[in-house]
Amino acid sequence: MKQVRSESPNGLEVYLHALQLLTTIDEGIQTFAAPDGPGKAVWEFVSDVVCEDLCQPTDLPVVLQEQKSILVQAFAVLQALYRCQEQWCDRSDISISLIGTVLRVLQYQSEGKDDATSRDATKDEQLQTLAEITAEFLADICIQIPQDTVADLVKKGHLTEKTALSAAGTLVPNFKTSFQHLQAMLSQVDPQMADVVRKQFPV
């Protein structure tokens, strides 16, 4: 798999597409959810692809444009696995760097959307799909995110005012409960940042 990651971007896209298709059928999800199934290994592999190969902090705006189709597939797979992973993993064990990557992707998307609006650019359907999938994935994560995880995100610089505001802007319209839980945890961890978010999103 590491060879596919480093040497064959097209092969990786085909592989992720196959995984995504598997997550859309009951038999596929049951296989991934099984305690002795491949779910954990696939989760770790796709997480590594997203965090280490695709979404380096330095080149994320470029990546969102160039790799949007592969990111759509990767996040779709991760979201599907996250929803069925109780059998082989505690949901609260999700890696800080993966949540940080989701937050960064949403931040760049919201900034890009502002730019696109100002340029009156045509709507990019793949970026729109990516925005929807990452928003749903973040909502799933935030609905029960532990306070310790939020504290780690703040401490490691993943959850900043910028990313918190873009996350709030993403969650409030359709995922209010997830936003409220994240906000409650943030209020415990960083009251000042929580106040900034609350002023802009008084839910």
Side-chain angles (χ1 to χ4, degrees), residues 1-158:
M1 283 298 107
K2 283 193 172 170
Q3 205 171 354
V4 172
R5 279 169 58 182
S6 58
E7 294 175 17
S8 177
N10 290 341
L12 178 61
E13 189 161 359
V14 170
Y15 180 66
L16 285 171
H17 184 59
L19 289 174
Q20 186 187 358
L21 290 176
L22 281 172
T23 64
T24 62
I25 56 173
D26 289 343
E27 293 89 339
I29 283 294
Q30 284 163 14
T31 302
F32 285 131
D36 56 350
K40 190 171 193 293
V42 171
W43 168 268
E44 288 170 355
F45 170 74
V46 180
S47 294
D48 285 349
V49 166
V50 168
C51 295
E52 295 174 19
D53 298 349
L54 296 178
C55 293
Q56 294 296 326
T58 49
D59 60 0
L60 197 50
V62 178
V63 166
L64 285 181
Q65 277 300 334
E66 293 181 354
Q67 308 271 26
K68 53 198 170 190
S69 62
I70 202 167
L71 279 170
V72 164
Q73 290 165 358
F75 278 121
V77 170
L78 287 172
Q79 185 194 14
L81 292 178
Y82 184 74
R83 288 178 170 179
C84 72
Q85 70 177 185
E86 293 100 330
Q87 299 296 324
W88 40 263
C89 182
D90 187 333
R91 281 188 175 188
S92 61
D93 286 345
I94 183 169
S95 85
I96 297 297
S97 59
L98 179 57
I99 303 174
T101 299
V102 173
L103 289 168
R104 277 206 324 278
V105 167
L106 287 169
Q107 181 199 332
Y108 280 114
Q109 283 175 329
S110 66
E111 289 172 357
K113 195 163 61 179
D114 294 341
D115 291 345
T117 306
S118 63
R119 289 197 311 268
D120 198 25
T122 53
K123 196 158 134 184
D124 185 319
E125 282 188 17
Q126 276 190 319
L127 279 180
Q128 184 65 29
T129 304
L130 180 59
E132 288 166 6
I133 288 172
T134 43
E136 286 177 19
F137 188 26
L138 182 66
D140 286 350
I141 293 167
C142 288
I143 196 79
Q144 53 187 1
I145 194 167
Q147 187 176 317
D148 289 350
T149 301
V150 175
D152 282 345
L153 287 167
V154 172
K155 191 164 86 178
K156 293 182 177 173
H158 295 303

Side-chain angles (χ1 to χ4, degrees), residues 155-176:
K155 191 164 86 178
K156 293 182 177 173
H158 295 303
L159 191 58
T160 61
E161 274 187 21
K162 263 189 173 181
T163 56
L165 288 169
S166 60
T170 300
L171 293 173
V172 166
N174 300 311
F175 308 103
K176 207 166 278 186

